[in-house]
């Protein structure tokens, strides 16, 4: 299914041009318009799924396989020192385009980006309670 109001549906299906790094039946991989670093790319499924929760299992598996292939190629060709895979779900998590996408963000020593979090603190009791909340 495509969503006629969704910009990533239009990009993924070629209705809006993009700098495409890779394309197959299921996905298009494009350069991000507002790159965090040189080579920041997005894996877009051609079908419209708003987020990870909606993504079919086989599409999720294929997206991760493609992420591995693209990450390997991009890191080698760009001479990156590392790479972050980022995937935001919901406004609270920073998602701004409500069509599932996987960020591939090549990293370079001293690139000035801050993609990682500040570690918090937790007691063993708090961790136990959270574990129980999730798995029970
Ligand atoms: P989110 O915050 O939803 O995880 O990421 C959305 C990403 O899409 C942002 O990094 C933003 O720069 C990128 N983006 C938004 N609109 C466009 C567009 O029209 N073309 C491209 N190539 N990237 C876009
Ligand atoms: Zn869409």
């Amino acid at each position: 299914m495509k969503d006629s109001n969704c910009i990533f549906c239009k990009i993924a299906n070629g209705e809006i041009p993009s700098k495409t790094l890779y394309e197959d039946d299921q996905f298009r991989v494009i350069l991000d318009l507002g790159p965090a670093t040189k080579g920041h790319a997005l894996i877009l499924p051609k079908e419209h799924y708003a987020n990870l929760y909606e993504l079919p299992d086989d599409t999720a598996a294929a997206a991760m396989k493609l992420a591995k292939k693209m990450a390997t190629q991009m890191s080698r060709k760009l001479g990156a020192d590392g790479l972050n895979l980022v995937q935001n779900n919901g406004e609270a998590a920073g998602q701004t385009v409500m069509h599932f996408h996987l960020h591939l963000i090549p990293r370079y020593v001293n690139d000035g980006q801050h993609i990682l979090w500040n570690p918090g603190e937790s007691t063993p009791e708090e961790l136990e309670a959270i574990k129980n909340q999730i798995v029970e």
Side-chain angles (χ1 to χ4, degrees):
M1 199 193 84
K2 277 77 176 171
D3 179 336
S4 57
N5 294 317
C6 173
I7 184 153
F8 278 6
C9 278
K10 293 192 171 84
I11 293 173
N13 292 283
E15 289 170 45
I16 294 179
S18 61
K19 294 293 180 204
T20 295
L21 304 179
Y22 174 87
E23 184 185 4
D24 63 21
D25 293 352
Q26 267 189 300
F27 299 101
R28 184 185 293 269
V29 183
I30 63 168
L31 287 179
D32 194 296
L33 264 190
T37 63
K38 180 180 159 190
H40 181 169
L42 303 171
I43 296 181
L44 310 179
K46 291 188 172 178
E47 294 295 313
H48 182 85
Y49 308 109
N51 49 42
L52 184 66
Y53 315 118
E54 290 190 3
L55 203 62
D57 285 355
D58 60 340
T59 310
M64 187 53 74
K65 202 171 159 191
L66 179 55
K68 179 186 168 186
K69 176 185 151 104
M70 293 305 304
T72 304
Q73 180 180 350
M74 289 164 61
S75 296
R76 188 166 52 83
K77 297 269 183 139
L78 294 168
D81 302 305
L83 183 140
N84 290 112
L85 274 187
V86 176
Q87 200 277 306
N88 301 324
N89 296 284
E91 275 182 42
Q95 186 178 8
T96 57
V97 181
M98 300 302 159
H99 174 125
F100 173 91
H101 52 281
L102 192 48
H103 294 261
L104 294 155
I105 307 178
R107 298 302 303 273
Y108 308 91
V109 171
N110 299 323
D111 63 19
Q113 279 296 351
H114 304 282
I115 292 162
L116 301 180
W117 55 90
N118 296 319
E121 288 180 6
S122 198
T123 64
E125 294 75 22
E126 285 168 337
L127 293 178
E128 178 68 15
I130 294 162
K131 184 204 78 176
N132 291 336
Q133 189 177 351
I134 294 168
V135 300
E136 275 175 12

